[in-house]
Amino acid sequence: MEGQHVPRGYLFSVAAAGIRYQGRSDMALIHSEREATVAATFTTNRVKAAPVICDMKRVRSGKGRTIVVNSGNANACTGDRGLRDAEAICREVAVRLDVPERSVLIASTGVIGTPLPMERVMRGVDGLIRSLGKAGPWDVARAMMTTDSFPKVVSRRGGSGATEFTVTGIAKGAGMISPEMATMLCFILTDLAVGRTVLKAALAEAVAKTFNLTTVDGEMSTNDTVIAMANGAAGNRPPAGGSPLLRRLKAMLLEVTDELSRMIARDGEGATRLLIVKVRGARSQRDARRAALSVAESPLVKTAVHGGDPNWGRIMAALGHSGAALREHSVEIAINGVKVVKAGLGTEREREASEAMAGEEVVIDIDLKRGGYSERVYSCDLTEEYVRINARYRT
Amino acid sequence: MEGQHVPRGYLFSVAAAGIRYQGRSDMALIHSEREATVAATFTTNRVKAAPVICDMKRVRSGKGRTIVVNSGNANACTGDRGLRDAEAICREVAVRLDVPERSVLIASTGVIGTPLPMERVMRGVDGLIRSLGKAGPWDVARAMMTTDSFPKVVSRRGGSGATEFTVTGIAKGAGMISPEMATMLCFILTDLAVGRTVLKAALAEAVAKTFNLTTVDGEMSTNDTVIAMANGAAGNRPPAGGSPLLRRLKAMLLEVTDELSRMIARDGEGATRLLIVKVRGARSQRDARRAALSVAESPLVKTAVHGGDPNWGRIMAALGHSGAALREHSVEIAINGVKVVKAGLGTEREREASEAMAGEEVVIDIDLKRGGYSERVYSCDLTEEYVRINARYRT
């Protein structure tokens, strides 16, 4: 896995600043050797962390070079001091790398409400600058981890015509994952040259289809950030709308964000199973989405999935609760390919379905038979371990 | 507790039909000696259980005499057969008691998707009729229990002028509790004479202020039913709008439903603590409500409450996620009286707050300082036991 392609023209480093965790890296730097096009999406939570507020201004230019990230402390609910701290970090990075301050972006994840230990952070920044180029995407992914149990990196290499390029996504997830992007950070790097408007639209589309349809606990974080950088090291001319190269980029972006979404759901706090909820036959896209989310977020469905129980009654209740148009007597439900509900009634194939649920992946297929719209949501089971992790996160 | 007042003119019985549970009562009958005024509210889930569909028609007349209830099987997602079964039970009760069939209501709670074992149910009905008058409200409450850990009965006796009367509420709750009434059944009986329109309005108001602001896991059941009966055994003239007697009835109804709501939240599946979320200073009633619900339903807040962790950052994140208008820098939060957030920032009184959280009740007081609206929601902590109960409910 760690031997995947890396886009050209990016340097990486990590440092162990001891912000909260000991004996591991907790800061990372991603630096493009040349100015890159930048696009980003952020949490829609009204309480936004300092790094999010800081970045929202900076990405307006559509240009950037560097991302500095830390784990262990979210720098959220830290008021003016938090904002000053975030800006001071960016400034220090900019000065040391001799790039404009506005070209540095920042992301943080971890505990809310505690100011950053700036002395340690600044020593960390020093370490990042000194070791730039000595790490790779996997090291960055490891430095970003909080309650994640594994680092998340996905790369795709592809091309169109004479242009070969790579898209690499580096993410962290785990808890507080919810539509509209929850405590997740994701940095997507490509060496393709892409115009600002095109990159922004392609990112928005990929996020809408993947991260925003991924849920662990319905929570939405104050820090969610997805940043895409395109530095043009591939030497291509920026692709025009509708060109084969742009289509290729979009497809690769979607593959990378889709695979990262699956990894984030699978690594939901305490999760033992990936849950994929597919709804089709909905009367509208909105209905498909809310029906799928209602099932994917239901604690009763998620605990049943944990217990390997094909409890379709809970799925029916969650569908009825979703607000989506449905007729009870036309609903069909299959779990891992075993049809457990036909015409709204149980088929008495629960033993078979239970056996089919033995693996690490549970797919719930729902057909509402009311129209032509479909949606798919990634989620995970709800376990005792989720409660243990979150009852003891700080104490 | 069991020596509480009971409204005049009602007879009760219970039976052990063995529908799902062995060695305990699982059916109950409530019967008014005279025709009573009836009002009811039901689940808003689009998937409605057979007894709900059955009752929704019957309560339109505003009159009724009898409620038959069973636990262990919800008779939900059972199609036409379920509806025929529910009607057959009502018919049998009506014939045996010699009352009009339309005056019998029915409620069920338990597993979804399995037809009722009608032979056993009908033997249970026979037992109910034979033993009518040999039980009391507490016996009925016990027969209704599913994952409840204690029976729930609240009585208030009061009066106005020459009229003395009693209001008794009998409820079951536990899991699938959510606003708009989740798997809960509640029967409210009074011996006051009350007109149909007046009873309906008083019940709707009490439910809106109590049960509909009670959440255990955000789930909404297919079976939720609250039925109020007023049989007039107190001999009064039905109170007019605005009369002291009606005000007294409304106040007592509110006390009974409020106390039952607290009991239901406290008895949330696996819960060890009652969580009360109070929001004030909201810009609108809707904002107050959604802010309070967002905090009360947040798995991260609920696990922190379980761990005795005054994790105000998660409360801030849930507020920001709620959609309610807020300015981060004006939010104030107190936990069990200890102010942990002032002007949007931590006050470093977390040790004190943690000590204040040692008991069985946690009150989170939030002031948004944006307006004059307030709301209060009952909830509970989220525990490993909740997961255990629901991962193993059927299997």
Side-chain angles (χ1 to χ4, degrees), chain A residues 41-45 176-184 207-208 210-214 219-221 224-225 289 293, chain B residues 321:
Chain A
T41 62
F42 300 100
T43 181
T44 57
N45 196 307
M176 252 202 198
I177 298 298
S178 151
E180 312 313 329
M181 305 188 3
T183 303
M184 58 156 293
V207 168
T210 57
F211 294 130
N212 280 353
L213 292 169
T214 304
E219 300 276 0
M220 181 199 287
S221 138
D224 304 325
T225 301
R289 182 185 159 92
L293 278 172
Chain B
H321 181 28

Side-chain angles (χ1 to χ4, degrees), chain A residues 7-268:
Chain A
R8 288 156 286 186
Y10 291 95
L11 299 171
F12 306 89
S13 62
V14 297
I19 293 170
R20 179 182 170 81
Y21 308 114
Q22 303 303 321
R24 55 160 278 195
S25 57
D26 57 0
M27 291 190 74
L29 202 68
I30 299 171
H31 181 64
S32 172
E33 290 171 333
R34 57 172 88 190
E35 190 175 66
T37 306
V38 166
T41 62
F42 300 100
T43 181
T44 57
N45 196 307
R46 292 195 187 199
V47 176
K48 290 182 191 357
V52 169
I53 295 169
C54 185
D55 287 357
M56 287 178 88
K57 284 182 217 153
R58 288 163 189 242
V59 297
R60 280 192 209 130
S61 72
K63 294 288 172 193
R65 290 205 41 189
T66 313
I67 303 168
V68 56
V69 54
N70 75 274
S71 59
N73 186 315
N75 193 12
C77 302
T78 44
D80 293 337
R81 175 175 169 182
L83 212 50
R84 282 197 304 272
D85 288 347
E87 281 167 355
I89 297 165
C90 291
R91 194 177 313 120
E92 177 70 10
V93 169
V95 168
R96 296 287 300 275
L97 290 173
D98 194 22
V99 298
E101 198 190 318
R102 57 160 180 71
S103 74
V104 181
L105 300 171
I106 183 167
S108 302
T109 176
V111 171
I112 300 177
T114 307
L116 284 171
M118 284 300 283
E119 211 170 299
R120 275 175 276 169
V121 169
M122 287 306 199
R123 275 203 304 274
V125 168
D126 182 64
L128 291 175
I129 303 291
R130 286 173 186 275
S131 64
L132 194 59
K134 295 193 177 147
W138 289 90
D139 304 302
V140 173
R142 272 186 286 265
M144 284 157 61
M145 286 165 66
T146 57
T147 51
D148 302 61
S149 67
F150 58 85
K152 298 164 186 74
V153 179
V154 175
S155 276
R156 289 289 182 274
R157 181 150 182 83
S160 174
T163 309
E164 282 271 316
F165 65 102
T166 300
V167 175
T168 295
I170 309 169
K172 68 118 5 226
M176 252 202 198
I177 298 298
S178 151
E180 312 313 329
M181 305 188 3
T183 303
M184 58 156 293
L185 302 179
C186 179
F187 309 120
I188 303 168
L189 313 174
T190 180
D191 45 12
L192 198 68
V194 190
R196 179 183 159 185
T197 318
V198 165
L199 184 65
K200 199 172 166 181
L203 179 69
E205 189 184 329
V207 168
K209 285 185 181 169
T210 57
F211 294 130
N212 280 353
L213 292 169
T214 304
T215 176
V216 164
D217 55 13
E219 300 276 0
M220 181 199 287
S221 138
T222 52
N223 288 59
D224 304 325
T225 301
V226 178
I227 299 171
M229 289 180 90
N231 70 5
N236 62 299
R237 278 177 45 187
S243 67
L245 186 57
L246 180 57
R247 282 206 302 276
R248 194 77 198 92
L249 171 68
K250 282 184 172 180
M252 284 163 63
L253 252 182
L254 201 58
E255 279 176 51
V256 166
T257 55
D258 186 71
E259 186 60 29
L260 287 172
S261 294
R262 284 176 67 101
M263 290 167 111
I264 286 171
R266 177 60 189 82
D267 197 22

Side-chain angles (χ1 to χ4, degrees), chain B residues 158-270:
Chain B
S160 174
T163 309
E164 283 272 315
F165 65 102
T166 300
V167 175
T168 294
I170 307 170
K172 70 129 346 240
M176 254 202 198
I177 298 298
S178 151
E180 312 313 329
M181 306 190 1
T183 304
M184 59 156 292
L185 304 179
C186 178
F187 309 120
I188 302 167
L189 313 174
T190 181
D191 44 14
L192 199 68
V194 189
R196 179 184 159 186
T197 318
V198 165
L199 184 66
K200 199 173 169 183
L203 179 69
E205 190 184 329
V207 168
K209 286 186 181 170
T210 58
F211 294 130
N212 280 354
L213 293 169
T214 303
T215 175
V216 165
D217 55 13
E219 300 276 0
M220 182 198 285
S221 137
T222 52
N223 289 61
D224 304 325
T225 301
V226 178
I227 298 172
M229 290 180 88
N231 70 4
N236 62 299
R237 280 177 46 187
S243 67
L245 187 57
L246 180 57
R247 282 205 302 275
R248 194 78 198 91
L249 171 68
K250 283 184 172 181
M252 283 163 61
L253 253 182
L254 200 58
E255 279 176 51
V256 166
T257 54
D258 187 71
E259 186 60 29
L260 287 171
S261 294
R262 285 175 66 100
M263 290 167 111
I264 286 170
R266 177 60 190 82
D267 197 24
E269 285 174 344

